[in-house]
Amino acid sequence: MRTTIFSSLALIGALASFATAHGDHEEYGQMPIVSGPSEITNLFERPVLEKDSYVPSFAGISTFAHLPYRQCWEEDSVDDYDIAVIGTPYDIGVTFRTGARFGPSAIREGSKRIKGYNMEVGINPFRSWAKMVDCGDVPFEPFSAEHAMKQIEDYAKYLLLRPPQVGETDVKPPRLITLGGDHTILLPVLRSMRAAHNKPVQVIHFDAHVDTWAPEIYNVKSQQSKYNHGNPLYHAAKEGLVANGTSMHVGIRSTLYDEEDLARDTALGFNIIKANDIFKLGVDGIVERMHEILGPKEDSLVYLSVDIDVIDPSMAPATGTPETGGFLTREMRYILRSLQGYNLVGMDVVEVSPAYDTQAQLTSFLAADLIYEVMSMMVKAGEQ
């Protein structure tokens, strides 16, 4: 013990002597004196960087598919865009498992590997006429459903009603792609679509549930509670936002509250294609039925709303209200691609709750891939 103490004292003394002997920095070898940060750069030869070198798909800040990030809602923003991606991390309208507020970030993370040529659609949407941007997430207050929905509506409307750019004579609203969030967000987005296009849109609603349940079905007392992810299309139909007779649900298979649910849904103007119809019709039969409902392509104004639970939970487990017996991912992508040539003005993918996903992020990858398919068709249609 005494030996250790004496050794430590000796070391301290040696260090003190060293410091004293080299108090004059001029004697400290050839190392020049650096007085501040501004002089540090002069001491080194910095390498010349390869600015256009390969960037791995797993690197970088997570925008959707590495699209450029734009602050689209800044008043001084003059950026033009043909397709805008926004996130709506809203999940205060769920009736079972929460967590869809983390959907936008999960989908963006899952989209990192997306790039290049879509061989089924026949286009590379990232090297085309279309300018595509990721505007980030809509800022809203997640404490009041009605107020938050008004904010989402206003921000979406702000993008869709952008002023004409230099040289433009015929101003058309950009395409809007929304990352949910629970399905409640469909209502404010459809309200903004109605304002931008001056008429109702044809909604193709991919879901395990009809989402046209009246508020009284839930026996809720609060006025705010009348809006939830089980009834955005009930309100949308009542408000005249949805084209009556040419809108549809695809993939329906959940239980109902009562047998009157189907009659109410028909009265609201929707057609139903059930998941089990695939046994009789096949995938091509489902596609043919969808085309019959939509009518001519040249007259179309189509909005796609994709609840990720339309897919079987064995392939998309990360959702709040899973229902067994859904479409396979391959079937879903095929059905989406069958809409090529229609005027697709917008889409959303909702109800992705990443906390319930596998370690392999299967649901997030799938959500991003579905958006990629629709984005490719949007660009292809604009090119033609």
Side-chain angles (χ1 to χ4, degrees):
M1 180 68 177
R2 293 177 64 186
T3 304
T4 304
I5 294 173
F6 285 130
S7 299
S8 299
L9 291 173
L11 177 60
I12 292 171
L15 290 173
S17 300
F18 179 83
T20 303
H22 294 279
D24 186 355
H25 290 285
E26 295 294 340
E27 299 177 9
Y28 195 75
Q30 299 299 315
M31 185 66 181
I33 299 173
V34 177
S35 61
S38 61
E39 297 185 27
I40 293 178
T41 54
N42 298 328
L43 305 180
F44 308 101
E45 292 188 8
R46 303 181 74 186
V48 177
L49 302 179
E50 296 181 25
K51 296 288 187 178
D52 297 322
S53 61
Y54 172 78
V55 178
S57 59
F58 51 80
I61 297 172
S62 295
T63 61
F64 185 84
H66 299 280
L67 292 178
Y69 169 65
R70 293 291 182 268
Q71 293 180 318
C72 306
W73 296 295
E74 294 297 323
E75 299 243 345
D76 57 352
S77 175
V78 293
D79 270 344
D80 188 17
Y81 41 82
D82 301 295
I83 299 176
V85 177
I86 65 172
T88 53
Y90 174 108
D91 69 353
I92 56 179
V94 299
T95 55
F96 194 49
R97 302 195 301 199
T98 60
R101 66 181 58 187
F102 301 108
S105 58
I107 296 171
R108 288 187 176 104
E109 186 68 22
S111 73
K112 278 189 168 183
R113 45 181 279 283
I114 292 178
K115 57 183 178 181
Y117 188 82
N118 187 324
M119 66 178 182
E120 299 296 337
V121 178
I123 198 167
N124 183 341
F126 307 107
R127 293 184 179 180
S128 67
W129 63 271
K131 181 174 181 180
M132 302 186 291
V133 298
D134 189 330
C135 299
D137 291 344
V138 173
F140 64 87
E141 299 174 15
F143 310 111
S144 164
E146 207 153 0
H147 183 61
M149 288 168 59
K150 181 65 168 64
Q151 289 177 295
I152 293 170
E153 177 187 345
D154 288 345
Y155 276 84
K157 199 180 293 183
Y158 186 91
L159 296 182
L160 292 171
L161 297 176
R162 65 172 178 80
Q165 304 298 305
V166 176
E168 277 189 334
T169 54
D170 183 21
V171 182
K172 294 182 178 180
R175 269 58 174 170
L176 182 66
I177 295 175
T178 305
L179 317 178
D182 76 51
H183 223 149
T184 314
I185 65 98
L186 175 58
L187 179 57
V189 171
L190 287 179
R191 286 170 175 167
S192 68
M193 283 283 165
R194 180 69 173 82
H197 295 281
N198 295 312
K199 66 176 184 177
V201 293
Q202 298 166 282
V203 174
I204 305 179
H205 171 227
F206 294 95
D207 203 320
H209 315 87
V210 292
D211 288 0
T212 52
W213 283 292
E216 54 266 24
I217 290 289
Y218 299 97
N219 196 28
V220 293
K221 303 297 190 293
S222 168
Q223 178 74 6
Q224 178 174 305
S225 300
K226 70 178 183 178
Y227 298 109
N228 62 61
H229 72 164
N231 60 25
L233 289 173
Y234 170 85
H235 294 290
K238 289 282 191 180
E239 294 177 21
L241 311 178
V242 178
N244 193 316
T246 57
S247 296
M248 72 194 83
H249 313 292
V250 182
I252 301 303
R253 62 188 187 277
S254 73
T255 57
L256 304 175
Y257 283 92
D258 57 54
E259 59 185 359
E260 298 301 318
D261 290 348
L262 295 180
R264 183 188 305 107
D265 189 80
T266 301
L268 289 170
F270 291 97
N271 299 274
I272 293 180
I273 301 175
K274 297 183 293 183
N276 282 339
D277 288 342
I278 201 168
F279 295 118
K280 292 182 179 180
L281 302 178
V283 179
D284 286 324
I286 286 178
V287 167
E288 185 178 342
R289 177 65 181 133
M290 290 170 61
H291 290 182
E292 288 175 359
I293 295 170
L294 285 173
K297 292 182 178 180
E298 56 270 21
D299 300 329
S300 60
L301 191 69
V302 180
Y303 183 91
L304 307 178
S305 185
V306 181
D307 187 324
I308 205 66
D309 71 22
V310 73
I311 305 297
D312 192 84
S314 63
M315 294 186 167
T319 190
T321 50
E323 303 282 357
T324 59
F327 290 149
L328 306 181
T329 57
R330 179 176 56 195
E331 295 165 350
M332 184 64 191
R333 295 182 73 167
Y334 182 88
I335 291 170
L336 280 179
R337 287 195 296 266
S338 77
L339 297 169
Q340 191 169 171
Y342 285 93
N343 183 17
L344 306 176
V345 295
M347 83 167 298
D348 61 64
V349 176
V350 297
E351 300 288 352
V352 174
S353 298
Y356 312 111
D357 214 350
T358 67
Q359 296 93 326
Q361 300 171 276
L362 293 181
T363 314
S364 299
F365 284 139
L366 170 62
D369 285 340
L370 298 181
I371 293 170
Y372 170 64
E373 296 287 6
V374 176
M375 182 180 281
S376 298
M377 291 189 292
M378 288 176 172
V379 175
K380 183 80 169 182
E383 184 181 69
Q384 294 172 343

